[in-house]
Amino acid sequence: MTGLGAIIRAANARRNAIREVASSAIGANLACALRARWLPLPPPMPSSRDIAVAIDGTGHSVGLSTGAHLIVALAIALGPEPIGRIDRADVEALPARFDDASAASARDLIMRALETETALEALRRVMASNSGSRSTIWVDGSLFADLAHMAGGPTVVRWGGGAERAGALLRATRDLHVEAERAGAYLIGLAKTQRASLLAPVLGANQPEYGAPPVAVTLTDPSDIAEHRARDGEILAAMPEGWSWPLLLDARQFPAIEAEAATILNDCPAIITTYIRPHAADLPLRLDVPASALHLPHRVGVRSPHAQPDPATWLPEPNAMAPFVAEVMARYGGVLAHNGPLHAVDRVVRMSRPDLELVVVPTIARAVGVHPSALGVDRGRRRFLLD
């Protein structure tokens, strides 16, 4: 590989900074506190629900030679009959006056909207067949992260009709959670990343309520948590197989909230979240379910737009989450397939960059009656396509 020697020299020059990131003292310190709230995995057992529906999406922003952006997004649901396969797609053209950040915002919003609408259609097919109590709707990603992100959505969406789409997405998300509650269907979000900072504030607060033994957590300064922005991944890196004592999340943990979002989400079930390390050789997964699935009355509720987010709270009885941990483990397929249904739909919905730029974009051009060169990719991407 060309330039490897120069990279090694640069890494040695940043040795201390890299080692500090690789072995976070704050993360290791808080991991000691988490051990008191770390539970063993349930014994292997088959899934308690025989109908599994998985939803996943993909989205791309293609920079065109004119400076414009073409957004292409696709969402697919896969399940047994009568759900079958559901495909939804959307294409948005952003004029050149919108920058890359706006295009990325548009891509994320459009893809999230497609995934939510597809999940809602799949759920309604489940309801129409009276199969709610036998069904699990698997969603790729964190349910709470989607709610929290969209709660402040209209203020950060900076393109075209983005604010209107954000509002429609909020209502569809609320409908998905509420209708899953009515149908008795499990709605489960499974995320592969741990970039959130839920654990550090609650572990630093050292809340001993609900019967867990208190743990002495020595922080040089409580502000260290905020200063280092200890991510959950830093803390979880030291944890063995098992799962964490669940946390209750509602509007008090939203980083921001708009008045419209507060009105829409007020009656949406709160979210219960936990982390699972399914195997010693695997990375942790984040499991989110609506509080209503645990027969808990908690709702997202409202908070002042000017209030600072509060730490999450420990669930009073952690074993209430055990059936959902068991459900995740029943569908676990190993390091390369963290969840069987989601792995299957991911293989169908995935869209490679060469396929997008050499097949999909020219097909869109022909479909709308323009020459493919009119939607040609920019020079920075073209050289990769010609290699």
Side-chain angles (χ1 to χ4, degrees), residues 45-55 119 122-123 126-127 131-139 143 176-190 287-295 319-328 330-331:
M45 61 184 70
S47 171
S48 63
R49 301 210 163 194
D50 61 328
I51 298 177
V53 184
I55 296 93
L123 174 61
V126 165
M127 295 168 67
S131 304
S133 61
R134 299 168 47 207
S135 302
T136 301
I137 309 295
W138 293 95
V139 178
L143 299 181
L176 176 64
H177 287 242
V178 171
E179 292 187 25
E181 177 182 11
R182 291 173 184 161
Y186 283 174
L187 177 63
I188 298 180
L190 203 58
L287 165 63
D288 284 8
V289 299
S292 56
L294 282 67
H295 307 291
N319 285 331
M321 193 69 162
F324 300 93
V325 176
E327 195 71 20
V328 170
R331 301 288 184 178

Side-chain angles (χ1 to χ4, degrees), residues 33 74 78 91 169 175 186 211 213 220 228 237 239 246 264 299 316 350:
L74 172 68
L78 285 181
V91 178
L169 173 55
D175 292 346
Y186 283 174
T220 55
H228 290 81
M239 305 310 294
I264 293 172
R299 300 282 147 174
R350 192 180 303 169

Side-chain angles (χ1 to χ4, degrees), residues 54 78 337 339-349:
L78 285 181
N339 178 268
L342 287 173
H343 180 71
V345 74
D346 174 73
R347 292 175 64 86
V348 175
V349 79

Side-chain angles (χ1 to χ4, degrees), residues 251-256 303 307-311:
R252 292 171 296 176
Q253 285 76 54
F254 287 167
R303 71 168 175 85
Q308 292 297 311
D310 292 333

